Amino acid sequence: MCAASEVSIITANVQVIIDHGLGDKNKDDYLLAQHSCNALLKIVPSKLKQDDPDAPPKFKPDHALFLKLEELIVSGLTNKDNRDYMPMARSAMRVIYQLGEGPDQLMEVIIRKIVAAVNDKLPEMGEGKIEAHILQRLCFLVGEISLNQLNYLDVNVYTELKRRNYLREAKAEKEKRKAAEKKQKRQSMMRATALSTPMNATTTGAEDDDMGIVGAEADDAEAEFIQQVTEKEILTGDSMLAQFEPLLVAICSNHAKFPDKDTRCAAALALCKFMLMSSDFANKHLRLVFTMLEKEKEPTIRANLIIALGDLSVRFPNNVEPWTPKMYARLHDGSYKVRYNTLTILTHLIFNDMIKVKGQISDIAFCIVDKEDKISMRSKLFFSELAKKGNTLYNVMPDIVSRLSDPEVGVKEEDFRVVMKYIIGLIEKDKLLESLVEKLCHRFRATRTKRQWRDIAFCLSLFPYSDKGFKKLAENFGCWGDKLHEDQVYESFLAIFGGIKKGVGRGPVGGGNREAFKQLVEELEAKVEEARSKGVEDDTADRRAREAREGKKGKKDRKGRRGEHDSDSSDMEDFQPENANTSLRRETRKSKQFTQPTEDTSPEKRLAPTPSKKPSENEDNESEDEEEEEQSPEKPRKSSRRGGAEEQSPEKPKKSSRHHHQQPEEPEKSRKGSSRRVIASDTEEQEQTPEKSRSSGRSRRQEEVVQSSEKSRKTASRSSRHNDSENERSRGDRERSSRRNR
């Protein structure tokens, strides 16, 4: 703290800090060593100046400071119990790169000693094995070396080159000024002509311009030199850092072999720091980094990777730009840390124009309804600042609405409404609101689902309408008029009319010509009501027709399944062995099914055959039933099994809407005679062989199938005529309603 105000306190006591802060007495106190390094860094100016005639302070490579730091870094690598090693090593490497001459050579010596120490311990740990904490610290060290090397080249070396160039230019300019003064003194002693003065002035101005161009060219040359070193020399060939690339890639891509999460985290960060050095190296490993970002199970690693990718986006924006959607996808991560870091990084990149604002910004809008208040508040702050940045929010508003209302995205309808209420409230310019009304109306044509209709209509209901905005809504009636049969869409437009009638809008709604505006509102409201009634009728008719088609198809499927079931059961019966008693019981049941019982329940009368009607009388009755169904379509359809139901219910004889037909009662003698004949025929059939009984059973089953198919055909014809009459009636109702509306 004292050094922050007076640097001379540190410069005068450097040796004291080395002896007591980095000495042998406190060899294992890494926290004290870290604070000592931070105090020594106060010697370095916070910002290097190009016009400073004095060079920044540097120590020689053989200084006692670097010897102490080297010993701390090398010996502390294997000290597993001390958790302060990595912060101490970070501060020590910063001191080496900021205060040392030739820091890259110093760090190369340190790394070689560390690798040699690890190789010496390999026999103790086992062949091909290394302790996790040693591997983690080794990855951390090489990553910090890469980052410090980049900072050293981009800041220290580049600034020093510019400072030296400035000193050369200043010296040349000083010499030139002296030469000009001498020349002027000589000319003052002579008689000059009238034209000599302007000619000399022009020449001097041109020379000054040339000097400015030379300075700019020198800066460009220095920047190209630094870029050439970082791209071609640091991570290629036989350089020290290039030797660690295979190790970092192996740890990041093989989770099973390196299960320790701290080791994987250190390797992932070291790889990202390597990628900051060279664009070619970054392109080579971007796919691996984004794969880890998506599939890594540890949220700490994902949170650190998203921060590293933010630095990569600043360093190489064109390389990372195709992968931007992968970064936006982390806004839906299950970890709070990952979501918060992603939102912070994207906010920083957008406001600094590192990435373009596109449709993916809807993912940031979805963070408004995040369950964590900290993320929700930061997302709201982002949009409030974005609204102040020209028309950026207006340009992305249609994309936000379309993406959040897309069913494939999976945003709940309640969350969508909360998000849009906040964002639409940030747009204040009348012209932008009017243009948004038109754009959202046109979005109706591109929608596919009713959910999208409801969402867009809800957004339109949130706008404060002026007279021009409402005219835009009325002019685009054709875009949304056919969607009014949806209840929530209709309610949203009713809310718009209600707000306009109450005067909710931008200034006085209608302006000076309030009567004309009121008439426009009434006309549009009438058109809405008319479109609503027509849309509801059409939608109801379509739904009924669809249900009828589905019902007819379902009946056909059920009949097909019933026929298959009957055929299967008949086949099984053919293969079942029968005896005389079984055949007699089956024939008795079939005779009961083909008889018409009367109110008398005596055994003779139950076995008596049913007197059949005349064919002409049956046909007349069926034609009368069909006419009755066509004339009264409101009555429910009769079941296809009506005949069987009537035969089984003797208490309710068959009736028609016009005539009551009853079965003619036969005399008692005929019924008794018929019952005797049935009993006699049953006795004869009992004496027949099994083959004859099976053949007679098949013939009777065939007759039953023929009769049932005939009944189903007649029932289907009656139902089709009933559907035709119902459709004709509904069509006539629609025509009458349309004429009445006109």
Side-chain angles (χ1 to χ4, degrees):
M1 293 176 64
C2 297
S5 59
E6 190 62 39
V7 182
S8 60
I9 298 175
I10 303 298
T11 56
N13 297 281
V14 172
Q15 191 62 40
V16 176
I17 295 174
I18 294 173
D19 293 339
H20 295 279
L22 305 175
D24 295 335
K25 294 181 180 180
N26 302 314
K27 188 176 181 180
D28 295 332
D29 192 353
Y30 294 150
L31 187 60
L32 177 60
Q34 178 189 356
H35 290 307
S36 300
C37 293
N38 292 336
L40 290 171
L41 287 172
K42 298 294 182 180
I43 301 175
V44 182
S46 58
K47 186 176 181 181
L48 300 176
K49 297 181 180 179
Q50 302 175 8
D51 56 352
D52 191 358
D54 298 327
K58 296 286 184 180
F59 297 110
K60 293 183 178 180
D62 57 352
H63 196 276
L65 172 63
F66 303 125
L67 297 178
K68 294 292 183 181
L69 293 177
E70 176 183 330
E71 184 180 357
L72 284 172
I73 294 174
V74 174
S75 62
L77 184 72
T78 57
N79 193 348
K80 181 179 180 181
D81 298 330
N82 201 323
R83 299 287 183 181
D84 297 325
Y85 173 79
M86 295 171 70
M88 181 274 298
R90 181 185 289 111
S91 299
M93 282 187 283
R94 287 187 61 196
V95 170
I96 293 173
Y97 273 95
Q98 294 294 330
L99 297 177
E101 292 181 0
D104 51 344
Q105 298 175 3
L106 290 173
M107 290 309 305
E108 184 174 355
V109 172
I110 293 174
I111 289 298
R112 290 187 184 278
K113 289 184 177 180
I114 289 175
V115 173
V118 172
N119 290 332
D120 293 340
K121 282 198 172 187
L122 282 179
E124 300 177 6
M125 294 181 288
E127 186 178 357
K129 294 182 180 180
I130 186 171
E131 294 183 10
H133 74 279
I134 295 178
L135 192 58
Q136 174 195 358
R137 292 178 178 182
L138 181 61
C139 294
F140 168 78
L141 288 176
V142 296
E144 285 295 320
I145 291 172
S146 175
L147 186 61
N148 282 282
Q149 185 74 22
L150 176 62
N151 182 68
Y152 175 73
L153 291 172
D154 277 351
V155 179
N156 296 72
V157 175
Y158 181 68
T159 305
E160 181 64 19
L161 290 175
K162 292 182 71 174
R163 191 188 69 83
R164 294 179 181 181
N165 186 38
Y166 171 79
L167 293 178
R168 284 194 299 269
E169 291 177 359
K171 184 178 180 180
E173 187 178 355
K174 187 176 181 180
E175 293 176 355
K176 184 180 178 181
R177 191 182 302 111
K178 288 182 180 180
E181 289 177 357
K182 290 180 181 180
K183 186 178 180 180
Q184 188 176 2
K185 287 181 181 180
R186 287 196 304 269
Q187 288 180 354
S188 63
M189 296 171 64
M190 300 170 61
R191 290 183 178 180
T193 59
L195 297 175
S196 61
T197 302
M199 184 179 297
N200 292 337
T202 305
T203 305
T204 304
E207 290 176 355
D208 292 340
D209 294 340
D210 292 341
M211 288 298 296
I213 294 173
V214 170
E217 290 178 352
D219 292 344
D220 293 341
E222 291 160 1
E224 289 179 1
F225 168 73
I226 298 298
Q227 184 179 3
Q228 183 72 16
V229 172
T230 56
E231 290 284 346
K232 304 297 182 182
E233 297 183 13
I234 304 298
L235 297 175
T236 57
D238 297 332
S239 64
M240 178 191 66
L241 294 179
Q243 307 302 319
F244 289 93
E245 178 187 355
L247 174 65
L248 298 178
V249 173
I251 295 174
C252 293
S253 58
N254 195 342
H255 294 182
K257 190 174 181 180
F258 302 94
D260 185 66
K261 63 178 183 179
D262 295 331
T263 303
R264 294 203 311 272
C265 183
L269 288 178
L271 183 63
C272 292
K273 291 171 183 176
F274 275 39
M275 293 166 67
L276 288 171
M277 183 70 71
S278 169
S279 60
D280 295 336
F281 192 90
N283 286 332
K284 183 179 178 181
H285 298 289
L286 268 176
R287 184 178 297 277
L288 174 60
V289 172
F290 276 100
T291 302
M292 292 179 64
L293 181 66
E294 184 177 358
K295 297 184 178 180
E296 178 59 52
K297 296 180 180 180
E298 290 296 330
T300 304
I301 300 178
R302 299 199 303 271
N304 289 333
L305 282 176
I306 198 67
I307 296 175
L309 287 170
D311 296 335
L312 273 173
S313 299
V314 176
R315 176 76 173 163
F316 306 116
N318 295 332
N319 297 22
V320 183
E321 194 271 336
W323 301 90
T324 305
K326 299 286 186 181
M327 297 176 66
Y328 277 102
R330 293 301 96 202
L331 290 170
H332 304 283
D333 196 278
S335 172
Y336 160 74
K337 286 183 179 180
V338 178
R339 295 200 307 274
Y340 184 79
N341 288 356
T342 304
L343 181 59
T344 304
I345 293 300
L346 290 175
T347 301
H348 173 74
L349 294 176
I350 289 172
F351 285 134
N352 289 278
D353 297 327
M354 292 293 106
I355 59 176
K356 297 179 181 179
V357 181
K358 295 183 179 180
Q360 292 93 350
I361 200 175
S362 59
D363 295 327
I364 300 180
F366 183 69
C367 292
I368 292 176
V369 293
D370 194 276
K371 59 184 179 180
E372 296 290 341
D373 294 337
K374 199 172 181 180
I375 296 177
S376 177
M377 295 301 297
R378 180 170 283 272
S379 179
K380 290 181 179 179
L381 179 62
F382 168 80
F383 280 102
S384 62
E385 293 296 327
L386 190 66
K388 301 175 185 177
K389 197 176 179 181
N391 298 337
T392 307
L393 182 59
Y394 159 78
N395 294 332
V396 298
M397 179 64 73
D399 293 333
I400 292 175
V401 174
S402 298
R403 186 169 175 82
L404 291 182
S405 62
D406 192 349
E408 297 178 358
V409 177
V411 179
K412 296 180 181 179
E413 201 162 351
E414 295 80 7
D415 294 341
F416 174 85
R417 298 192 173 192
V418 173
V419 171
M420 298 315 301
K421 277 183 181 179
Y422 180 79
I423 296 179
I424 291 177
L426 297 174
I427 301 177
E428 299 178 352
K429 295 181 181 179
D430 292 344
K431 290 185 178 180
L432 299 183
L433 290 171
E434 295 164 9
S435 181
L436 273 178
V437 170
E438 186 175 8
K439 285 187 176 182
L440 290 180
C441 288
H442 289 165
R443 286 277 174 174
F444 273 108
R445 298 185 183 275
T447 54
R448 307 186 306 273
T449 61
K450 293 183 179 181
R451 159 72 191 277
Q452 292 174 313
W453 301 352
R454 296 193 298 269
D455 290 342
I456 297 177
F458 175 77
C459 293
L460 288 173
S461 67
L462 296 176
F463 289 112
Y465 283 89
S466 61
D467 51 352
K468 293 183 179 179
F470 188 78
K471 287 179 181 178
K472 292 284 186 182
L473 185 69
E475 290 172 359
N476 292 278
F477 176 79
C479 298
W480 50 270
D482 57 340
K483 315 292 190 302
L484 291 170
H485 62 272
E486 184 68 20
D487 293 337
Q488 294 188 17
V489 176
Y490 176 66
E491 291 172 1
S492 297
F493 283 99
L494 288 184
I496 295 174
F497 292 129
I500 292 174
K501 290 178 181 179
K502 293 178 181 178
V504 179
R506 296 283 179 177
V509 182
N513 195 0
R514 294 185 61 85
E515 294 298 329
F517 183 76
K518 185 177 180 181
Q519 184 178 0
L520 176 63
V521 172
E522 292 176 354
E523 291 178 357
L524 183 60
E525 194 170 6
K527 290 172 66 177
V528 167
E529 294 296 335
E530 181 180 356
R532 163 74 174 176
S533 60
K534 182 179 179 182
V536 169
E537 291 178 0
D538 294 343
D539 186 62
T540 304
D542 294 340
R543 187 173 63 253
R544 287 178 178 175
R546 186 168 57 253
E547 290 175 355
R549 287 195 299 268
E550 292 175 356
K552 187 181 295 185
K553 184 178 179 181
K555 286 183 179 180
K556 290 182 179 179
D557 295 340
R558 286 195 298 271
K559 288 180 180 179
R561 288 195 296 270
R562 190 183 299 116
E564 292 176 359
H565 178 70
D566 294 342
S567 62
D568 294 341
S569 62
S570 63
D571 293 339
M572 292 297 294
E573 287 178 359
D574 290 342
F575 288 101
Q576 289 178 357
E578 294 185 355
N579 52 22
N581 295 329
T582 304
S583 176
L584 177 61
R585 284 196 299 270
R586 180 182 296 114
E587 297 303 329
T588 305
R589 277 199 307 272
K590 290 180 180 179
S591 65
K592 289 180 181 179
Q593 292 177 359
F594 287 102
T595 58
Q596 178 69 27
T598 59
E599 296 180 357
D600 195 354
T601 58
S602 60
E604 292 86 359
K605 293 183 180 180
R606 282 202 304 270
L607 294 174
T610 303
S612 61
K613 294 182 181 181
K614 295 181 180 180
S616 60
E617 186 178 0
N618 291 335
E619 292 175 0
D620 292 339
N621 291 336
E622 289 176 358
S623 62
E624 288 175 0
D625 291 340
E626 293 171 1
E627 292 175 1
E628 179 66 17
E629 288 176 356
E630 293 177 358
Q631 291 177 3
S632 58
E634 298 298 329
K635 294 182 179 180
R637 297 180 184 175
K638 296 182 179 180
S639 173
S640 61
R641 298 183 179 181
R642 182 185 57 185
E646 289 176 352
E647 289 175 359
Q648 293 176 5
S649 58
E651 298 296 330
K652 297 179 181 180
K654 183 177 179 181
K655 294 183 180 181
S656 174
S657 60
R658 297 179 181 178
H659 304 284
H660 297 282
H661 300 282
Q662 296 181 353
Q663 295 290 344
E665 296 183 358
E666 294 183 352
E668 186 71 21
K669 293 182 179 180
S670 62
R671 286 199 295 270
K672 291 182 179 179
S674 60
S675 63
R676 293 193 190 98
R677 286 194 297 271
V678 169
I679 294 173
S681 63
D682 291 342
T683 305
E684 292 174 358
E685 289 175 356
Q686 185 176 3
E687 296 175 355
Q688 290 177 352
T689 60
E691 289 81 4
K692 291 182 180 180
S693 62
R694 281 197 295 272
S695 63
S696 62
R698 290 195 201 96
S699 63
R700 290 184 180 182
R701 280 195 296 274
Q702 291 175 358
E703 292 177 0
E704 290 176 9
V705 170
V706 171
Q707 291 177 1
S708 63
S709 62
E710 186 68 22
K711 288 181 181 180
S712 62
R713 184 181 61 78
K714 292 180 181 180
T715 304
S717 63
R718 285 197 297 272
S719 63
S720 62
R721 286 195 297 273
H722 174 68
N723 290 334
D724 294 339
S725 63
E726 188 176 18
N727 292 335
E728 186 67 26
R729 184 176 64 81
S730 62
R731 193 181 299 110
D733 292 342
R734 286 199 299 272
E735 292 177 356
R736 285 194 296 273
S737 64
S738 62
R739 287 197 299 272
R740 186 164 56 252
N741 291 332
R742 286 197 294 271

